[in-house]
């Protein structure tokens, strides 16, 4: 009995140490080297001797995004692709701009949870829980309000105010990823067979094909 308890304790200790090692840095930083050839979960590290201040810097967060598009919104990303110093640090951020009635269409982030704060305007936001509950949580946010979107869940933001709206969001991943629901289903390359999409959404096949033909 004592042996079994000791074995269980060792397994738990080993599991905890592995989990801890996956999130605790073992060096001050690992600035991304886009030319690195090492295959790692992230980007290869630049030689620390070649790291400069600009590897941790990016300018332009105050610039208004171009919302002249069918969605009336613009998501400006600031992740490891723009700031190499974010590599392995597990954080990223975005700026969201919305024209009146602009929409950041339903999407998911497969690798991160998101916390958003409204800087200007009024946004309706929401997320849907997983099957089978499919609960829809939604809220109207005003300047200074914050909202959290759990990792992997479909969510959206819409400008329901009269003027331009601005928000910023932070993620617990250097590269949270984004999977836009409509674009993924209707514009995968190559296309998902129209019969499959039509049956899944209970739509006419010709209608599905007309959407798939739009780039």
């Amino acid at each position: 009995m004592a042996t079994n308890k000791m074995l269980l304790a060792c397994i738990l200790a080993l599991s905890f140490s592995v989990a801890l090692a996956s999130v605790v840095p073992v060096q001050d930083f690992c600035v991304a080297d886009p030319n690195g050839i090492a295959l790692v979960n992230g980007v290869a590290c630049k030689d620390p001797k070649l790291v400069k201040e600009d590897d941790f810097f990016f300018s332009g967060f105050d610039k208004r995004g171009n919302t002249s598009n069918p969605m009336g919104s613009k998501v400006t990303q600031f992740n490891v692709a723009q700031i190499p110093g974010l590599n392995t640090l597990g954080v990223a951020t975005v700026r969201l701009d919305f024209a009146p009635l602009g929409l950041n269409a339903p999407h998911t982030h497969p690798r991160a949870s998101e916390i958003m704060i409204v800087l200007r305007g009024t946004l309706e936001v929401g997320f849907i829980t997983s099957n089978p509950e499919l609960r829809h949580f939604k809220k109207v946010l005003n300047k200074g309000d914050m909202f959290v979107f759990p990792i992997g869940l479909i969510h959206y933001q819409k400008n329901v105010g009269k003027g331009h709206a601005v928000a910023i969001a932070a993620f617990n991943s250097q590269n949270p990823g984004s999977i836009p629901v409509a674009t993924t289903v209707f514009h995968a390359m190559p296309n998902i067979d129209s019969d499959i999409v039509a049956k899944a959404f209970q739509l006419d096949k010709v209608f599905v094909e007309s959407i798939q033909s739009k780039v």
Side-chain angles (χ1 to χ4, degrees):
M1 189 63 156
T3 302
N4 290 339
K5 288 183 178 180
M6 180 64 72
L7 179 59
L8 178 60
C10 291
I11 292 174
L12 291 174
L14 179 61
S15 299
F16 179 75
S17 64
V18 170
L20 193 63
S22 67
V23 296
V24 177
V26 294
Q27 56 197 31
D28 289 337
F29 50 75
C30 171
V31 173
D33 180 4
N35 299 315
I37 59 174
L39 299 178
V40 296
N41 186 21
V43 184
C45 301
K46 180 187 289 188
D47 184 339
K49 296 183 180 62
L50 302 178
V51 172
K52 299 180 179 180
E53 291 84 354
D54 283 347
D55 289 319
F56 303 92
F57 171 81
F58 190 90
S59 181
F61 205 69
D62 60 323
K63 299 297 187 296
R64 180 168 173 167
N66 183 6
T67 57
S68 298
N69 55 68
M71 290 293 105
S73 67
K74 174 64 177 178
V75 178
T76 305
Q77 299 186 43
F78 299 89
N79 55 36
V80 70
Q82 289 77 33
I83 309 174
L86 287 177
N87 193 38
T88 74
L89 298 186
V91 292
T93 186
V94 298
R95 171 181 169 135
L96 302 99
D97 287 271
F98 300 85
L101 300 180
L103 172 69
N104 189 19
H107 61 283
T108 73
H109 300 294
R111 295 182 289 274
S113 295
E114 173 182 356
I115 184 168
M116 188 189 76
I117 180 170
V118 178
L119 300 182
R120 175 182 175 184
T122 303
L123 296 176
E124 177 187 316
V125 305
F127 67 85
I128 300 90
T129 63
S130 55
N131 203 38
E133 288 84 6
L134 298 176
R135 294 184 64 191
H136 181 195
F137 292 86
K138 68 176 182 177
K139 187 83 174 174
V140 174
L141 307 181
N142 295 294
K143 180 180 178 180
D145 291 341
M146 303 178 72
F147 200 79
V148 173
F149 305 98
I151 184 172
L153 297 186
I154 293 174
H155 60 284
Y156 63 88
Q157 301 97 17
K158 181 182 179 181
N159 184 359
V160 294
K162 295 181 178 179
H164 187 80
V166 181
I168 59 173
F171 304 90
N172 61 331
S173 169
Q174 70 184 46
N175 184 20
S178 180
I179 303 175
V181 177
T183 303
T184 301
V185 173
F186 289 97
H187 295 295
M189 297 297 291
N191 282 335
I192 302 173
D193 189 274
S194 57
D195 288 328
I196 295 174
V197 178
K199 187 168 185 177
F201 287 88
Q202 295 295 287
L203 297 172
D204 180 77
K205 180 180 176 181
V206 175
F207 177 72
V208 169
E209 291 173 345
S210 71
I211 297 177
Q212 290 177 327
S213 66
K214 297 176 181 178
V215 178

